[in-house]
């Protein structure tokens, strides 16, 4: 089973940028789709972006044009570049692997990181 570790979260002003990293260990990373989800207290986990082994990517409508997911298979890592951040992007961001790119539903992803907090101030 792959272990996933997120980093790069923090506090940023609206309009700023952050780059999240998801480092994976274990052979389960290879060949799998990796996704980013986010969650705020009291709300359901929300899909942000996903990328398959070949580099095909999908982004939620709410982040299109602002966030970009990418991966470096040589480093077993996936990244989320977040630009033009808004206060409503504030959440705990988690990476996950093993799910589907076309229908990225959280419950279909089997491996999860612990999450990293992103806070955007107005």
């Amino acid at each position: 089973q792959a272990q996933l570790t997120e980093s790069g979260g923090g506090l940023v002003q609206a309009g700023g940028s952050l780059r999240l990293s998801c480092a994976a260990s274990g052979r389960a990373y290879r060949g799998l789709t990796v996704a980013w989800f986010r969650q705020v207290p009291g709300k359901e986990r929300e899909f942000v972006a996903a990328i398959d082994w070949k580099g095909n990517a999908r982004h939620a409508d709410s982040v299109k044009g602002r966030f970009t997911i990418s991966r470096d298979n040589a480093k077993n890592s996936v990244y989320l570049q977040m630009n033009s951040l808004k206060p409503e992007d504030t959440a705990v961001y988690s990476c996950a692997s093993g799910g589907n790119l076309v229908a990225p539903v959280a419950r279909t992803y089997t491996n999860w990181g612990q999450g990293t907090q992103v806070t955007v101030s107005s």
Side-chain angles (χ1 to χ4, degrees):
Q1 187 171 357
Q3 291 182 338
L4 304 172
T5 304
E6 303 94 338
S7 62
L11 173 64
V12 64
Q13 289 187 333
S17 298
L18 283 175
R19 187 189 192 218
L20 304 183
S21 298
C22 173
S25 63
R27 55 188 175 92
Y29 171 84
R30 293 185 61 82
L32 296 181
T33 293
V34 179
W36 286 96
F37 291 85
R38 64 187 182 185
Q39 190 170 26
V40 297
K43 293 189 176 181
E44 291 189 359
R45 192 169 276 164
E46 177 189 15
F47 168 73
V48 177
I51 188 167
D52 69 12
W53 179 252
K54 295 181 179 180
N56 298 303
R58 182 186 183 102
H59 297 80
D61 288 343
S62 59
V63 306
K64 278 182 181 177
R66 300 189 299 123
F67 292 11
T68 303
I69 190 171
S70 62
R71 69 190 291 168
D72 184 339
N73 292 335
K75 297 182 178 180
N76 280 11
S77 293
V78 171
Y79 307 99
L80 185 68
Q81 179 65 44
M82 306 187 295
N83 299 327
S84 302
L85 282 160
K86 304 175 181 180
E88 51 264 43
D89 294 319
T90 295
V92 174
Y93 285 71
S94 300
C95 62
S97 69
N100 190 284
L101 176 69
V102 175
V105 178
R107 58 180 169 81
T108 66
Y109 283 75
T110 54
N111 306 305
W112 289 83
Q114 82 288 351
T116 186
Q117 177 70 45
V118 171
T119 302
V120 184
S121 63
S122 57

